[in-house]
Amino acid sequence: MNTVITGLQWGDEGKGKIVDYLTESADVVIRGQGGNNAGHTVIAKGTKYVLHLLPSGILWDNKINVIGNGVVVDPIGLCIEIERIEAQGIEICPEKLLISDRAHVVLPFHKELDAAREISLGDQKIGTTKRGIGPAYADKVNRCGLRMADLLDRPFAEAQITRRVSEVNEILAKYDLPVFTAAAVISDTYKAFERLRPHVTNTIPVLHKAWKAGKNLLFEGAQGTLLDIDFGTYPFVTSSNTTAGGSTTGTGLPPTAIEAVIGVCKAYTTRVGSGPFPTCDEGLSEYLHNLGREFGATTGRPRGCGWLDTVLLRFACMVNGVTGLAVTNVDGLDEYDHLKICVAYDIDGTRHELPPADRSFWDRAKPIYETLPGWKEDTTACTSYDQLPPNAQAYLTRLSELCDAPLAFIGVGPDRKQTLKA
Ligand code: GDP
Ligand code: IMO
Ligand code: MG
């Protein structure tokens, strides 16, 4: 079954864990968007792995992992990541990891441009991961980006980098940020590219061959629906289509290849970076942070935490065409007496069951809550859905009803094994 795994909130829903879990029955795992702004945590056999650009299928033997055309690849960052994961005992060979020759390259100056933009925005800053994602996608859309295939043509790439460096330096100088020499950018980029070169190929025919041969394809989304450039809380979003559609434009596999869409959400809501967050709750944030939870896998920033928001989830299920929900971190709520679920927003006296586009509405959106009793029991040792306390099952059933999507998987802990079929 060719399945898209997509985030339904503001990222960090536990996509990596669900992808890793489903990889056992998959043949190919494919990333189609985002870059190393992503941080996907997988805990398997007692070891913790954090993946940024590598698909989460990389931890399994005999699976093909593809970084698709829609991803923006930082070659230097990817080399560091490969070294780190190899040091953890995972072999990464060209048969196991394929990188699209159409993928755009994040160059060192994109990160500084990211920083410059954040400085210029002042208190309206996006709170980006500073991985150069926005500027790299902007260059792609502006038709002045460099693709992996372009790096294979060194004279062309050198000329392009030289031209871009002189334009970029003018911007960076305005913000007192370090400027670049084209020679240094070229040399650092090619040093990393030489390591990656055996992995770079035309991934599209490889994927089509696998599809036609009936292999199981797993599409790994990065970020989440509310960070989608079209559907998210614009402008506090990332720069790609994080929703299911990004899995086709970002891989070269057509929509007809997709058979299922698993939407991943936490049993509560988290957000890192700036932007609206109607159900944010200081008490819940403090509680989860005190448990050592909810610190960003990429930047280490504490994530804001809040109650489950089914206005957002309902919308996310619609735009992704979710066929099954994977609800993670149910165990995070084990100790709470009462749990709130946001069922709608009150905006100036009008009830809204879907999120608004008008950014001024967000400040006035007051959550309308339903309160459900907690279960006050440890769920982390549950090995089947039936073992979950009745109140936990009732909470999940209500979540599913409010989103109009069936439950598929439940997470009761970070380990690969702590995933239950609903
Ligand atoms: P991703 O970016 O969507 O892959 O999610 P992250 O890895 O950034 O953040 C999810 C966090 O929750 C990580 O620390 C995971 O190890 C952890 N996690 C995932 N599922 C569960 C779960 O069901 N219970 C608990 N306690 N932690 C989980
Ligand atoms: P995963 O795949 C959570 C957020 C940043 C910021 C906004 C824009 O681990 O779920 P960017 O660097 O993309 O330009 O930042 O998006 N952001 C994420 N938040 N999880 C992520 O990825 C994120 N990737 C980007 O914090 O608010
Ligand atoms: Mg993450």
Side-chain angles (χ1 to χ4, degrees):
M1 177 89 85
N2 300 334
T3 307
V4 170
I5 308 300
T6 186
L8 299 181
Q9 296 162 320
W10 279 292
D12 300 332
E13 297 91 346
K15 299 174 293 291
K17 186 187 113 157
I18 298 295
V19 170
D20 167 70
Y21 172 79
L22 293 176
T23 299
E24 187 168 15
S25 52
D27 301 294
V28 189
V29 183
I30 320 148
R31 274 275 304 268
Q33 46 71 227
N36 57 3
N37 48 349
H40 297 174
T41 315
V42 178
I43 299 181
K45 296 183 185 152
T47 305
K48 176 174 165 176
Y49 305 89
V50 180
L51 303 160
H52 299 288
L53 272 161
L54 293 171
S56 300
I58 205 80
L59 306 179
W60 293 82
D61 291 331
N62 306 319
K63 310 285 176 181
I64 297 173
N65 291 268
V66 177
I67 296 179
N69 56 276
V71 176
V72 285
V73 179
D74 171 354
I76 300 168
L78 181 53
C79 283
I80 294 170
E81 185 177 341
I82 289 175
E83 269 172 35
R84 189 170 40 77
I85 294 297
E86 283 193 326
Q88 290 189 284
I90 306 292
E91 195 207 349
I92 299 178
C93 56
E95 293 72 39
K96 196 173 167 187
L97 175 70
L98 275 51
I99 304 171
S100 168
D101 52 6
R102 286 177 169 82
H104 275 251
V105 180
V106 180
L107 292 162
F109 54 75
H110 287 127
K111 287 184 226 166
E112 296 300 329
L113 282 175
D114 198 345
R117 174 51 69 88
E118 288 285 84
I119 295 169
S120 79
L121 287 170
D123 62 4
Q124 289 300 303
K125 71 174 185 183
I126 309 296
T128 72
T129 59
K130 301 223 175 79
R131 297 296 188 272
I133 305 302
Y137 276 119
D139 279 4
K140 171 177 175 175
V141 175
N142 261 339
R143 293 157 294 185
C144 59
L146 210 57
R147 300 166 308 155
M148 281 291 170
D150 299 325
L151 288 178
L152 293 167
D153 179 353
R154 187 153 178 163
F156 172 83
E158 288 195 2
Q160 184 93 336
I161 289 173
T162 305
R163 182 150 37 82
R164 204 64 194 105
V165 162
S166 69
E167 291 167 354
V168 162
N169 280 347
E170 277 183 38
I171 300 170
L172 298 181
K174 274 195 219 156
Y175 294 96
D176 285 333
L177 288 166
V179 292
F180 288 86
T181 64
V185 173
I186 291 164
S187 134
D188 292 351
T189 303
Y190 270 94
K191 206 168 137 212
F193 181 63
E194 288 314 323
R195 161 70 184 87
L196 303 177
R197 191 190 282 260
H199 300 266
V200 177
T201 187
N202 184 359
T203 51
I204 296 169
V206 178
L207 291 173
H208 275 253
K209 198 171 157 202
W211 177 35
K212 294 297 172 197
K215 302 283 183 197
N216 278 325
L217 312 176
L218 204 52
F219 299 83
E220 176 175 6
Q223 292 81 51
T225 303
L226 277 306
L227 289 171
D228 183 285
I229 187 77
D230 281 279
F231 304 115
T233 45
Y234 192 88
F236 300 101
V237 295
T238 190
S239 301
S240 64
N241 280 118
T242 63
T243 39
S247 302
T248 69
T249 53
T251 63
L253 282 161
T256 45
I258 296 173
E259 296 166 298
V261 179
I262 298 294
V264 188
C265 64
K266 281 182 177 141
Y268 46 90
T269 311
T270 64
R271 171 163 211 174
V272 62
S274 329
F277 186 175
T279 64
C280 189
D281 185 271
E282 256 181 51
L284 189 56
S285 299
E286 204 182 308
Y287 171 78
L288 291 165
H289 293 153
N290 283 341
L291 290 177
R293 291 170 180 238
E294 303 309 344
F295 293 91
T298 298
T299 58
R301 293 177 289 177
R303 300 172 182 143
C305 306
W307 300 110
L308 190 73
D309 185 338
T310 62
V311 177
L312 304 181
L313 288 183
R314 191 175 295 128
F315 178 64
C317 288
M318 280 168 65
V319 298
N320 285 293
V322 166
T323 57
L325 289 164
V327 186
T328 68
N329 285 272
V330 169
D331 54 304
L333 299 176
D334 281 353
E335 298 297 322
Y336 256 76
D337 284 328
H338 290 97
L339 305 171
K340 295 206 271 184
I341 298 184
C342 169
V343 294
Y345 298 153
D346 175 328
I347 304 177
D348 304 332
T350 305
R351 185 184 169 97
H352 290 254
E353 294 199 346
L354 291 171
D358 183 334
R359 65 176 92 175
S360 72
F361 277 17
W362 282 104
D363 301 333
R364 308 200 298 283
K366 291 194 201 80
I368 301 171
Y369 287 115
E370 257 179 36
T371 302
L372 271 71
W375 44 92
K376 306 280 286 172
E377 251 181 79
D378 182 358
T379 57
T380 56
C382 292
T383 52
S384 73
Y385 187 82
D386 295 345
Q387 289 177 9
L388 286 173
N391 282 356
Q393 293 190 23
Y395 181 84
L396 293 165
T397 303
R398 186 66 185 132
L399 183 164
S400 159
E401 274 168 12
L402 288 163
C403 301
D404 197 21
L407 297 169
F409 304 102
I410 308 299
V412 291
D415 197 273
R416 183 184 273 174
K417 288 189 300 216
Q418 290 170 303
T419 309
L420 317 177
K421 284 200 177 97

